[in-house]
Structures are given as C-alpha cells and as structure tokens.
Amino acid sequence: MLRKRSYALADQLQEALGEQGYRTTSPRRAVLQAVAGQERHFTAEQLREQLPKVGRATVYRSLRLLVDSGALCRVLLEDGTLHYQLSHHGHHHHLLCVECGSSQDLLGCDIEEQLHEVSAAHSFQLSGHWLEVYGLCQDCQPQ
Amino acid sequence: MLRKRSYALADQLQEALGEQGYRTTSPRRAVLQAVAGQERHFTAEQLREQLPKVGRATVYRSLRLLVDSGALCRVLLEDGTLHYQLSHHGHHHHLLCVECGSSQDLLGCDIEEQLHEVSAAHSFQLSGHWLEVYGLCQDCQPQ
DNA sequence: GTTTATGCAAAACATTTGCATAGTC
DNA sequence: GACTATGCAAATGTTTTGCATAAAC
C-alpha cells in the first residue's frame, strides 16, 4: 500500500520533470522512487546509500532538480545538517522532533503575515524567509 | 571612534570569557578584536583571512566559544552559507538584505508567542527555532 | 544526430581532530 | 608545575565539477 503510493508519487515527479524538459532516465527514476519512498526527512548521503548503483553526482543533481521544481524542500536540523523532505503543500514550515526525527507540517499559521507587518515597520522589503521549529512531538513527550 | 568602540567591545568579550575560566592569550585577543571590528556578519574563513598569523583551528575554536557564550550568533544566508554576527540582544532574529548583506535586528516581534500557540495546537512541545528573514533593506530598494 | 544525463575521480569547501609544543595561571 | 591553548597538518564530511562515455529524444 505504501509501496503503491510511492510508485504513484514517483511517476508524478517524473512527469513533472518531463514537462520541464528533463529526460526520463533509469538512474533518475531510481532516485525519484527512493525519494518517494522516504518516510521522513533524509540527507543526500542517506539517499545515496540506498542507491548504490547510482553515481553520487547524479543523486546530488537530482536532489537539486527536485528542490528547484518544488517537489522537495530543504530542512535544516538543529545540529546544522541539511536534510530533504517531500513538500506537498507549497511553502510551509516544519515542527521537527529532536528526539525521533519526525516532522509535522505547520498548518494554519500566519507567520508570513506577521513577518510582512514587522518588515514593513522596519522599512524592509521582504522576499523570503527560513523557519525551522524544534521540539518534541506528542509521542516523545514525557508521559 | 569605531576603533575605540571595537577595542572596548573586545575587552568586554575577553572579560566575559575570563569569567568562564578561559585564559587570556594573544591569539585569542586577536580574534576577539577582529570579531569586535566586524561591521556585518562574516564567515569563519573571512575572519581567518583577516588574521593570517592565527591558526585556523584557533579561529574556529574561538568562534565556537563565542557562540556558546552568547556573544556571537550564527546566521544562515539564503545561499546556505553560515555566517556569524555580534549578538547584542539575547535571542532575536535578523532582517538580512540579500543585496548589500546588511542585517537589521528584528525587534518588537512576538513570533515566539505565535509559535508557542501554534505548537500547542499541534500538541508539539516547542524547544527552539531558527528564523531568518531575507529581502531588501531600505537603501537597496528600487528608487 | 543533437542534446542531455551519467559516472567516475578529482577538486573544492568548510570544519574538526590528534598531537607535540608553547604559554597561562 | 599543572593545566589549557595553539599551530600545524591531516582527516573528515559534504557537495561540486570536468570530462569522456552513454543514453534519450
């Protein structure tokens, strides 16, 4: 079931890249399938370990493609390591559990609006931002 | 005048480290003076270039000391590079100009409060966050 | 057939570490 | 004199790049 979902997602990603003029190759498909099958955020090297037959450069190049196309987002962990994560909902933020590594999307949040207000108050023309939120998810909280 | 301020600040940093049991050495003083004289955020390597006589490891070790003691904060630029910046006001955020590289402190902002509310709504126990805001400062905005 | 993608190995960074030496307290 | 800090060079970890080969369109 999860498998099925992963394959469907991989095909979807493939199609999106195709529309942007990128070719369908088997290494690329392998990367997409691996990405689609990730249950949580992952590093480039973790992905690479799962794809021993794909060259390192291809993994990195594919990741960049996916980030640029909006399919993946970069996530900065508290220890400074860069992870990647499927991005289903356009721009949004994550609640990252520092214990188990899970990640919840932060929904119904008007941080953007507040940032716009505060920026305006500082005569600053906002163009982007990066927000990561760290803490404990429900399952990892003491009792 | 700026010079004078830098020296005073360097001494202040030195003193703070002294209180924590760290020794006063001339390489360390050189790093502190260079840090105190920075007009904007800087990378470890930029600092190192300004201190050709100080070993690379010492520069990095000193930076870590200063971050841990709260005198410096890390700043993540939009291109993913890590910079450092003097931190006068405890925990706060920055409005980073992507054009000239200047940085304004974000004051009078209750992002924290909002994050607490949203986290609670997701049953998430907030412990920290990282926020960077990118855009154009007043001087770099068209006309 | 033209263009794009791959794989490899090497280069490029950025940061950390081991260890002998030197300096502080 | 005991302990801490330094400097160097080497190791580490991560990401990028050049280039010849191979595959896609």
Side-chain angles (χ1 to χ4, degrees):
Chain A
M1 209 168 331
L2 188 77
R3 286 271 98 185
K4 202 166 162 192
R5 196 152 18 96
S6 303
Y7 284 126
L9 178 53
D11 289 344
Q12 207 176 308
L13 296 176
Q14 184 74 261
E15 199 175 324
L17 291 183
E19 282 167 14
Q20 294 179 256
Y22 295 107
R23 297 182 174 178
T24 300
T25 67
S26 65
R28 198 166 271 170
R29 199 170 359 230
V31 172
L32 295 182
Q33 237 154 58
V35 164
Q38 299 301 311
E39 298 196 3
R40 53 190 39 158
H41 48 79
F42 55 92
T43 63
E45 285 301 310
Q46 282 166 359
L47 191 66
R48 199 176 83 82
E49 282 165 23
Q50 297 173 28
L51 294 164
K53 286 178 291 190
V54 178
R56 175 187 279 113
T58 300
V59 171
Y60 279 91
R61 287 189 276 234
S62 302
L63 282 176
R64 182 162 17 175
L65 237 56
L66 290 170
V67 170
D68 290 348
S69 77
L72 282 184
C73 50
R74 290 185 222 266
V75 178
L76 188 70
L77 264 60
E78 210 166 19
D79 65 4
T81 56
L82 186 64
H83 286 228
Y84 295 85
Q85 174 166 324
L86 284 166
S87 169
H88 303 288
H89 318 284
H91 184 87
H92 64 282
H93 303 290
H94 306 118
L95 300 172
L96 298 167
C97 181
V98 298
E99 188 66 30
C100 71
S102 73
S103 154
Q104 287 178 71
D105 288 348
L106 190 47
L107 303 173
C109 160
D110 56 353
I111 292 276
E112 268 80 10
E113 195 181 315
Q114 196 180 347
L115 286 179
H116 261 109
E117 282 170 26
V118 183
S119 298
H122 285 75
S123 304
F124 189 83
Q125 187 181 318
L126 185 72
S127 67
H129 62 279
W130 190 324
L131 172 64
E132 304 289 1
V133 184
Y134 307 108
L136 294 175
C137 72
Q138 191 159 21
D139 294 346
C140 293
Q141 288 170 33
Q143 64 107 323
Chain B
M1 209 167 337
L2 188 77
R3 287 271 97 184
K4 202 166 162 193
R5 201 155 11 100
S6 303
Y7 284 128
L9 178 52
D11 289 345
Q12 207 176 310
L13 295 175
Q14 184 74 261
E15 199 174 324
L17 291 183
E19 283 167 14
Q20 296 179 254
Y22 295 107
R23 297 184 174 176
T24 300
T25 67
S26 65
R28 200 167 268 170
R29 196 167 5 226
V31 172
L32 295 182
Q33 237 154 58
V35 164
Q38 300 300 311
E39 299 196 3
R40 54 190 39 160
H41 48 78
F42 55 93
T43 63
E45 285 301 309
Q46 281 166 0
L47 190 65
R48 198 175 83 83
E49 283 165 21
Q50 295 174 28
L51 295 164
K53 285 178 291 190
V54 178
R56 175 186 280 114
T58 300
V59 171
Y60 279 90
R61 287 188 275 235
S62 302
L63 283 175
R64 183 161 18 175
L65 238 55
L66 289 170
V67 170
D68 290 349
S69 77
L72 282 183
C73 50
R74 290 186 224 263
V75 178
L76 187 69
L77 264 60
E78 210 167 19
D79 65 4
T81 56
L82 186 64
H83 287 228
Y84 295 85
Q85 174 166 323
L86 285 165
S87 169
H88 303 288
H89 317 283
H91 184 86
H92 64 282
H93 303 290
H94 306 117
L95 299 173
L96 298 168
C97 180
V98 298
E99 188 65 30
C100 71
S102 73
S103 153
Q104 287 178 72
D105 288 349
L106 191 47
L107 303 174
C109 161
D110 56 352
I111 292 277
E112 267 82 11
E113 194 181 315
Q114 195 180 348
L115 286 179
H116 262 110
E117 282 170 25
V118 184
S119 297
H122 286 74
S123 304
F124 188 83
Q125 187 180 316
L126 186 72
S127 67
H129 63 278
W130 189 324
L131 173 63
E132 304 289 2
V133 184
Y134 308 108
L136 295 175
C137 72
Q138 191 159 21
D139 294 346
C140 292
Q141 288 169 32
Q143 67 102 329

